[in-house]
DNA sequence: GCCAACGTTGGC
DNA sequence: GCCAACGTTGGC
C-alpha cells in the first residue's frame, strides 16, 4: 500500500502485493494455469487469514512453490475478495479467488532471495512458516528485477 | 526423514 | 496470564 502526498492532495495509490505458498505436489502453478482460476481456501492460521482479508481485487500475488522447487514461479491476481471459506462453517475462515496473471521469465529461488541483503526483512525469509504474507513495493521490485521482468 | 521455528492448546 | 506440551510447516 502506498499513500502519496502531493501538495494539498493526499490520494491512494495502487495496490498491495502479496506472496502465497503452494506445495506443487498438491497444487502447482501449472495446474493453476490449466484451471484458469482457483479459490484459496483451507487457511487455518490467523496471521495468514488476516492477510487474505486485506487483499483487494486486482492485487498481485507471487506464487511460491514450497517443499519442492522453493522458488517464486509466477504472479496471480486477486479476482474475488475474501468470503466465507466453503470448506468450513466456522466464520473465522475465509477464501479468496485468484487467476493466473503471468509466469515469471526466470523463477526466483529462495536461495537467491536469502543471498540478497536487500531482502533480509522479507517475510519469506523471516517468517518461514507463514503461508500468506505481504510483500512491500520495494521487495516486489527487487524480485521482479531478479526474475528478468521489466518494472 | 530430520529438525528448527513457531502457532495453538490447555493445565494451573 | 504464564508456560509446557504438542502439532504443523517447510527448509535442508
Amino acid at each position: 500500500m502506498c499513500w502519496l502526498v502531493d501538495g494539498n492532495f493526499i490520494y491512494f495509490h495502487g495496490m498491495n502485493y502479496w506472496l502465497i505458498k503452494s506445495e506443487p505436489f498438491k497444487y502447482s502453478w501449472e495446474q493453476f494455469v490449466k484451471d484458469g482460476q482457483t479459490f484459496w481456501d483451507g487457511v487455518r492460521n490467523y496471521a495468514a487469514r488476516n492477510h487474505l482479508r486485506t487483499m483487494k481485487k486486482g492485487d498481485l500475488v507471487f506464487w511460491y512453490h514450497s517443499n519442492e522447487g522453493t522458488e517464486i514461479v509466477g504472479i496471480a491476481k486477486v479476482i474475488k475478495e475474501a468470503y466465507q471459506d466453503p470448506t468450513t462453517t466456522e466464520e473465522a475462515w475465509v477464501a479468496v479467488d485468484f487467476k493466473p496473471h503471468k509466469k515469471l521469465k526466470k523463477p526466483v529461488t529462495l536461495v537467491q532471495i536469502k543471498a540478497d541483503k536487500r531482502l533480509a526483512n522479507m517475510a519469506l525469509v523471516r517468517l518461514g512458516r507463514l503461508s500468506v504474507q505481504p510483500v512491500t513495493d520495494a521487495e516486489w521490485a527487487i524480485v521482479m528485477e531478479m526474475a528478468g521482468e521489466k518494472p
Side-chain angles (χ1 to χ4, degrees), chain A residues 68-80:
Chain A
E68 288 170 50
T70 63
E71 58 189 10
I72 298 169
V73 292
I75 300 171
K77 190 181 221 175
V78 175
I79 53 171
K80 189 176 176 191

Side-chain angles (χ1 to χ4, degrees), chain A residues 93-149:
Chain A
W93 309 115
V94 299
V96 171
D97 289 2
F98 299 114
K99 73 170 187 191
H101 179 62
K102 74 177 297 188
K103 185 179 179 173
L104 293 183
K105 280 198 189 124
K106 294 182 284 179
V108 177
T109 66
L110 182 62
V111 172
Q112 285 176 273
I113 289 168
K114 283 186 168 170
D116 195 311
K117 287 196 185 75
R118 296 172 298 169
L119 297 175
N121 284 326
M122 208 172 160
L124 190 62
V125 177
R126 281 182 28 248
L127 303 166
R129 289 184 42 201
L130 190 58
S131 60
V132 180
Q133 44 184 266
V135 175
T136 67
D137 291 3
E139 290 162 353
W140 185 272
I142 293 165
V143 173
M144 288 297 273
E145 179 195 306
M146 290 167 119
E149 300 284 348

Side-chain angles (χ1 to χ4, degrees), chain A residues 1-64:
Chain A
M1 192 185 317
C2 174
W3 292 92
L4 299 180
V5 181
D6 173 20
N8 294 324
F9 299 97
I10 299 179
Y11 53 96
F12 179 67
H13 171 258
M15 60 179 66
N16 294 321
Y17 295 115
W18 309 93
L19 180 148
I20 57 176
K21 291 180 180 174
S22 165
E23 295 181 52
F25 119 95
K26 283 187 190 153
Y27 194 76
S28 66
W29 170 263
E30 289 71 25
Q31 187 61 46
F32 179 37
V33 170
K34 222 175 274 176
D35 291 348
Q37 74 175 70
T38 194
F39 47 94
W40 206 253
D41 60 7
V43 167
R44 295 294 182 271
N45 168 287
Y46 289 105
R49 188 278 312 271
N50 292 344
H51 295 314
L52 283 180
R53 272 190 183 160
T54 312
M55 287 183 184
K56 296 288 174 213
K57 203 171 170 180
D59 282 359
L60 296 179
V61 185
F62 281 140
W63 188 279
Y64 175 82

